[in-house]
Amino acid sequence: MKATEECFNKVKKNCFKFIKSQETSTEKFRNKDGMLKSFLIPLCFWIAKKSDNKKPYFVGLAGGQGTGKTTISSIIKIILEKYFKLKVFKISIDDFYKTRKERINLSKKIHPMLATRGVPGTHDLKMMLDFFKKVKSKNFKKIDIPNFNKAVDDRFAKKNWYKIREKPDVIIFEGWCVGAKAEVNKTLKKSINSLEKINDQKLIWRKHVNQQLKTKYKTLYSQLNCMIYLKAKNFSLLQKWRLKQEHKLWLKTKKSSSHKLMNKGDVINFMQTYQRITENMFKKMPRYASIIFNLNSNHQIKSVVYKSK
């Protein structure tokens, strides 16, 4: 408890400053002290204990859309750097999306729904595997990592990519489908929503996505040292949170004329492409994640379960 308090006093200024940058006039974070002291600082002690200065410790962090992955992973990064003096690199699986042009080609070749970013198969797997390999290498050299601009649904120009100039102690790899496992073929047959029912009658899209999870993504995720899962109560709650997220993105980018932001109908449709894997993760993730943060309907962490010590 004393160590937690000491850590809190050292990191609170930086953490609160970051949290303030994420708030809007109508959306304020509640119980910041409690979130840090009860959940995120103890988690950072756990990670710091596991990290090894010879090679990066890979932390997978997953949760449905709008669960606060970016916020939580950013706060973890601040604590690990500020208090534990660790070098931390945080990256989202979203930054590895294939370019708009590549996804359009994929949609023509395999299935039209693959033009929509999100599901396994729409990321650049080679680039991700390459990144994992390079960052673990004994002869570490600088690495440039893509930075994806959701407002225009394409990558930023190379000059705006992330640049890793020294080997990190901890890598936080976050994303909605990080750690997801494939389904059995039998469950693929029943459509989970209207989008699948209308646009994937022959099961081509869902079989392709599932096959990606079964093979290449399984190889990628097997390299993670631990898995943290932000568990929401249900899918409709995620839709509500995702709508808020889109509104926040609109507030940030409304000065730009090129942004491609979504209205409520677009968000609901977009999230239907995520639904199958998200629902499967609700069921399976608590069994194999190292740590589960249970979220309440107000977007706050209400409890934590450590499965792996």
Side-chain angles (χ1 to χ4, degrees), residues 12 23 28 37 40 67 113 156-157 159 179 184 228 283:
K12 67 178 177 183
E23 292 178 329
K28 303 289 181 193
K37 289 180 186 177
L40 300 187
T67 47
M113 278 167 72
F156 278 105
K159 65 174 195 279
V184 290
I228 300 162
K283 280 184 240 146

Side-chain angles (χ1 to χ4, degrees), residues 6-104:
E6 187 191 312
C7 178
F8 175 73
N9 289 330
K10 191 151 190 182
V11 303
K12 67 178 177 183
K13 188 182 168 190
N14 299 68
C15 291
F16 289 175
K17 187 182 174 185
F18 171 75
I19 289 168
K20 195 170 173 35
S21 75
Q22 299 301 295
E23 292 178 329
T24 63
S25 54
T26 54
E27 196 80 7
K28 303 289 181 193
F29 279 70
R30 286 177 291 178
N31 193 19
K32 297 181 285 239
D33 293 33
M35 178 179 71
L36 290 171
K37 289 180 186 177
S38 304
F39 303 111
L40 300 187
I41 289 174
L43 171 67
C44 289
F45 273 96
W46 187 89
I47 293 170
K49 204 172 156 187
K50 300 261 183 194
S51 68
D52 171 1
N53 59 10
K54 291 187 187 72
K55 53 187 179 186
Y57 185 74
F58 278 85
V59 177
L61 190 142
Q65 288 210 314
T67 47
K69 295 180 296 294
T70 307
T71 301
I72 286 173
S73 56
S74 299
I75 294 169
I76 293 168
K77 181 180 191 292
I78 291 167
I79 299 167
L80 290 173
E81 287 179 338
K82 183 89 182 148
Y83 184 75
F84 294 94
K85 306 295 180 207
L86 292 167
K87 292 192 287 286
V88 183
F89 180 69
K90 181 180 85 73
I91 185 79
S92 170
I93 195 170
D94 296 0
D95 285 307
F96 290 98
Y97 281 134
K98 289 176 185 282
T99 62
R100 198 168 164 75
K101 189 182 172 186
E102 286 168 337
R103 282 178 283 124
I104 287 165

